[in-house]
Amino acid sequence: MNAIVENAVPRATSHGAFRSYALEAKCEFLRVLRTPSASVPSLMFPPLFYLLFGILLNRGNSGAAHYLFATYSVFGVMAPSLFSFGVAVAIERERGWLALKRVAPMPPGAYLLGKMAMAMLFAAIIYCVLALMACTLGGVRLPPEQWLLLGGIALLGTMPFCALGLVIGSRANASAAPAFVNLIYLPMAFLSGLWMPLTMLPKIIGQIAPLWPAYHLSQLALMTVGQVPATGIAVHLLWLAGFTAICFAIARRWLARVG
Amino acid sequence: MHAVATMKPDASKIPPPLASLTGVSKRYGKVLALDNVDLQVRAGEVLAMLGPNGAGKTTAISLLLGLQQADGGKAELFGLAPKSLAARRRIGAMLQATEVPDTLKVGELIALFRSYYPHPRSIDECVALAGVGDLLDRRYGKLSGGQQRHAQFALAIVGNPEILFLDEPTTGLDIEARTILWKTIRQLVAEGCAVVLTTHYLEEAEALADRVCVLAGGRVVAEGSVAAIRARVSQRRIRCISSLASKTILCWPHVRSVTQDGEHIEIVTDVAESVVRKLLDADAGLSELEIRRAGLAEAFVEITREAA
């Protein structure tokens, strides 16, 4: 994994590694663009969920509308991060494409940053769709800076899930990876109170919620829309940063074994 | 510590190898894939690695490329760790089990790989060498198997490598495509590029290689020039049309096997001269006599059978 995560040679940037980074992101974008059968459902899934459970089942309660918009934004950005890293990395690893690019040698980080840029672009699209639904159908009213701040949190919030996805992608079979991702994605969303406030769920679920990265991200999102008091921001940020770092470290170790 | 060859007193004039395995072992669970293997690749040579499936050829390549770590011994590229970026910038590789993303066009793939290297070939040069001119605008997934191998070859040579690693490069290619690829490989070698080749096709090793390394059961069982390997096998093949019964000939001394091929009889023997003398004595009407020295194919079968 040295060629990807480790900053092996300082000279790596001397011959325009920038160009590699840009091309890597471009190829990742083209790959997704040219497989609409995979990318469209992953873009549609969170908005549909939001439409059903966040808008149609919630009639006119303004507090709930704001709560659910914040938590569904988190739910929405988790998907592209987990899937593009968890599933796509597993496939490219298993098919030997990752090995060939490492031998080639792809500059450190280009692979990850290309994928991360793509996950963020998808997250931005999903957030925009959710926001459009929220202000037209969902009765969500926020000042412009809060829309933007929430969008910013959603975008940066892709990082811990990219890292978690990478852990899955560095180990799982390509055919099992989607199942693994869903097995983590959907229960974690529920247990972190993204679909229903934790106060409405059994007490134990609320007590263990701080174990999940989605919980910490959702707390930051809820603070932005004024649904929870803005305290302990640093703790949530630190927790997410630590989680991201640990996941990247594990993935690096595991990927090193496969070349 | 890097230049193993220069430490030997009589090897002072030989430059250090570009790539080497020194006493390398690699185990997968209970299977010993490589067992104390020594291998050197020198500048400008074509080294063919031969061996039956599971002999350890691909493992040896993976270790040289730094895709796997040896359990014991040492793998080096240009005196560096094979994993290092500085070493990998000077090589190119075509791996056996690579599935390139279907959705990207050949031109896009070449542009991406060009960006990885400090001094890449121009796109025109890659196109001319790999014969992918009419494929640039086509998606990889839409190409035929042979065209995909050409595209992979283009990616391998894009960085102007000093060593080219080709793991079964012509598997699945038709004869014409194979001949084109051989020609290109010879051209690269003429320009000074070293090539490490694994192959199932013995005629491929015979056509391209300066040196052959035969692996069996994870060990190097023979190494040397094509002629030297071939000479290790004393067998000759005698072919003729004769009225003699196969069974009769099989009882003669030095005859290893007799097969009937239509009206021809084919005899494999260690001492062709005495068998031919006997044949001519026994059958005055014998015709179309032909004696051939064993090719690499026979040598290979012989050597790997001895090793088993």
Side-chain angles (χ1 to χ4, degrees):
Chain A
M1 199 56 201
N2 66 328
I4 292 177
V5 182
E6 212 172 76
N7 218 332
V9 184
R11 279 232 220 118
T13 50
S14 66
H15 68 273
F18 234 40
R19 202 177 144 67
S20 291
Y21 281 62
L23 282 172
E24 200 73 52
K26 178 188 157 196
C27 286
E28 185 64 16
F29 179 73
L30 290 174
R31 183 182 68 80
V32 174
L33 192 73
R34 289 171 188 169
T35 43
S37 58
S39 47
V40 169
S42 75
L43 280 173
M44 299 278 294
F45 185 61
L48 272 178
F49 239 66
Y50 178 56
L51 183 68
L52 279 176
F53 300 106
I55 294 177
L56 295 179
L57 290 183
N58 170 48
R59 288 231 150 261
N61 180 337
S62 166
H66 285 78
Y67 183 100
L68 289 173
F69 172 57
T71 56
Y72 270 92
S73 297
V74 171
F75 180 68
V77 301
M78 284 166 74
S81 329
L82 283 171
F83 280 95
S84 84
F85 276 84
V87 180
V89 171
I91 290 174
E92 291 176 3
R93 194 195 84 236
E94 201 165 282
R95 294 186 177 171
W97 178 231
L98 182 55
L100 185 69
K101 292 217 283 188
R102 287 168 66 183
V103 169
M106 174 172 53
Y111 183 72
L112 295 185
L113 286 179
K115 282 215 169 354
M116 219 178 255
M118 211 40 233
M120 283 197 181
L121 178 66
F122 262 59
I125 294 171
I126 290 173
Y127 177 72
C128 289
V129 173
L130 289 176
L132 197 68
M133 289 164 69
C135 70
T136 52
L137 306 168
V140 172
R141 297 287 171 267
L142 291 173
E145 66 271 17
Q146 286 189 14
W147 288 111
L148 284 176
L149 184 60
L150 190 57
I153 288 174
L155 278 196
L156 288 179
T158 54
M159 304 268 294
F161 300 105
C162 287
L164 180 59
L166 190 63
V167 171
I168 300 168
S170 65
R171 249 308 155 76
N173 286 336
S175 50
F180 266 120
V181 168
N182 277 319
L183 213 58
I184 291 176
Y185 178 38
L186 300 177
M188 192 201 284
F190 174 75
L191 294 172
S192 303
L194 301 188
W195 294 342
M196 236 181 274
L198 288 167
T199 48
M200 292 169 67
L201 296 169
K203 211 174 161 196
I204 176 79
I205 292 180
Q207 284 167 340
I208 60 168
L211 289 173
W212 323 121
Y215 166 82
H216 295 277
L217 188 62
S218 72
Q219 292 303 300
L220 292 172
L222 288 167
M223 287 172 197
T224 312
V225 297
Q227 287 295 307
V228 296
T231 54
I233 294 175
V235 175
H236 293 305
L237 285 175
L238 266 176
W239 199 99
L240 290 169
F243 178 82
T244 307
I246 290 169
C247 284
F248 270 129
I250 293 172
R252 186 180 137 184
R253 275 187 76 94
W254 283 359
L255 279 174
R257 285 186 210 160
V258 297
Chain B
M1 203 47 203
H2 288 327
V4 178
T6 56
M7 286 205 257
K8 295 177 191 163
D10 61 333
S12 54
K13 281 181 193 164
I14 301 174
L18 298 185
S20 64
L21 296 178
T22 314
V24 157
S25 299
K26 176 75 187 174
R27 185 178 280 284
Y28 301 115
K30 281 184 182 170
V31 181
L32 193 57
L34 286 180
D35 182 7
N36 197 19
V37 166
D38 288 301
L39 194 72
Q40 299 193 335
V41 185
R42 300 185 200 102
E45 77 169 348
V46 180
L47 171 67
M49 280 202 254
L50 292 170
N53 283 329
K57 294 171 301 211
T58 298
T59 304
I61 294 245
S62 299
L63 292 172
L64 283 171
L65 295 175
L67 287 171
Q68 293 182 34
Q69 297 296 301
D71 297 328
K74 198 155 95 176
E76 283 186 326
L77 265 183
F78 308 105
L80 301 163
K83 270 185 140 179
S84 75
L85 222 56
R88 283 178 167 173
R89 289 223 174 93
R90 296 165 67 182
I91 64 170
M94 190 165 160
L95 304 176
Q96 200 185 136
T98 303
E99 285 179 55
V100 176
D102 289 349
T103 46
L104 293 176
K105 294 177 182 171
V106 173
E108 290 160 356
L109 290 165
I110 292 178
L112 177 65
F113 271 57
R114 282 188 82 237
S115 77
Y116 296 157
Y117 294 95
H119 307 293
R121 285 182 204 278
S122 70
I123 291 185
D124 289 346
E125 219 180 324
C126 294
V127 164
L129 278 169
V132 291
D134 46 346
L135 307 180
L136 287 179
D137 254 344
R138 295 181 54 195
R139 291 190 192 181
Y140 184 82
K142 304 268 184 208
L143 304 180
S144 72
Q147 289 170 328
Q148 291 187 341
R149 295 307 274 172
H150 281 299
Q152 289 180 27
F153 186 74
L155 296 182
I157 60 169
V158 78
N160 238 329
E162 289 166 58
I163 314 180
L164 191 56
F165 291 89
L166 304 170
D167 197 358
E168 300 196 4
T170 58
T171 302
L173 289 189
D174 59 32
I175 292 171
E176 195 195 339
R178 195 183 300 171
T179 315
I180 293 171
L181 201 60
W182 287 0
K183 203 179 133 211
T184 310
I185 292 171
R186 286 200 196 98
Q187 188 183 335
L188 290 170
V189 172
E191 290 168 13
C193 179
V195 175
V196 179
L197 178 82
T198 73
T199 182
H200 278 308
Y201 301 112
L202 298 153
E203 66 267 35
E204 186 156 286
E206 241 168 344
L208 293 173
D210 301 308
R211 213 149 56 83
V212 176
C213 167
V214 183
L215 285 168
R219 300 164 91 154
V220 178
V221 293
E223 200 193 330
S225 66
V226 173
I229 296 283
R230 205 192 278 152
R232 279 191 47 161
V233 176
S234 50
Q235 287 174 11
R236 311 283 162 97
R237 273 172 193 278
I238 302 167
R239 215 173 135 81
C240 60
I241 298 177
S242 165
S243 55
L244 291 169
S246 306
K247 274 187 205 159
T248 318
I249 302 171
L250 196 56
C251 300
W252 295 354
H254 309 301
V255 172
R256 289 205 171 206
S257 69
V258 181
T259 43
Q260 191 83 38
D261 173 19
E263 56 178 352
H264 286 87
I265 294 177
E266 194 164 293
I267 305 161
V268 177
T269 172
D270 294 333
V271 190
E273 292 76 7
S274 85
V275 175
V276 169
R277 193 172 298 130
K278 244 182 131 142
L279 270 174
L280 293 171
D281 284 347
D283 180 8
L286 183 138
S287 63
E288 292 198 20
L289 179 65
E290 201 181 304
I291 308 170
R292 269 192 312 126
R293 197 185 176 80
L296 203 50
E298 285 89 354
F300 174 72
V301 169
E302 179 86 344
I303 290 166
T304 50
R305 193 174 48 208
E306 278 167 15

